[in-house]
Amino acid sequence: MTNYSSSNYPQKFSVDVFSERRPLSEDPWLRIGEFDDLNQAINTCKKVVDDFLNSRVSSVKSADQLIADFLYHGDMPAIKGAENLNSFYIYEYLAQRCREILPT
């Protein structure tokens, strides 16, 4: 796991999730937290993914099915702050976790 030094980034990091399940009259982006520490923001994003995967693992038979299930139904977390810092790669993390949960 990579640890990032927050001292290089003076602003807060917000974690927002994109959900297509929200009513059309509402913004599809929902803020779930603000953090001074980048690692906390990354861990929050991972928790969003992990919570979904853990809730669906019993209904699929393969890592590829679990990935597809998340892509169709899961909330997509994103870190905002430090000029869109590329610190959490959701697709990479998703594939890694699904293969850990359901190895082929």
Side-chain angles (χ1 to χ4, degrees):
M1 179 170 105
T2 304
N3 284 320
Y4 296 92
S5 171
S6 297
S7 62
N8 297 335
Y9 310 106
Q11 56 187 312
K12 286 189 181 278
F13 301 93
S14 65
V15 174
D16 297 0
V17 293
F18 180 85
S19 176
E20 292 183 346
R21 292 184 307 278
R22 294 177 53 82
L24 292 176
S25 61
E26 295 182 20
D27 188 348
W29 286 97
L30 177 67
R31 176 146 305 156
I32 60 172
E34 285 191 2
F35 308 93
D36 292 323
D37 182 71
L38 178 57
N39 292 313
Q40 289 176 318
I42 291 169
N43 289 335
T44 299
C45 288
K46 289 178 178 181
K47 183 176 180 347
V48 169
V49 174
D50 290 342
D51 287 350
F52 179 88
L53 298 179
N54 290 331
S55 74
R56 301 294 263 249
V57 70
S58 63
S59 63
V60 298
K61 297 180 182 178
S62 71
D64 288 341
Q65 286 179 334
L66 191 54
I67 290 168
D69 195 31
F70 179 85
L71 293 176
Y72 285 117
H73 304 289
D75 293 339
M76 298 295 261
I79 299 173
K80 295 189 178 183
E83 300 173 340
N84 296 318
L85 178 68
N86 290 325
S87 55
F88 178 68
Y89 299 98
I90 186 167
Y91 301 108
E92 185 178 297
Y93 182 74
L94 175 63
Q96 171 196 339
R97 288 296 294 139
C98 287
R99 284 176 176 62
E100 289 172 356
I101 293 169
L102 291 169
T104 50

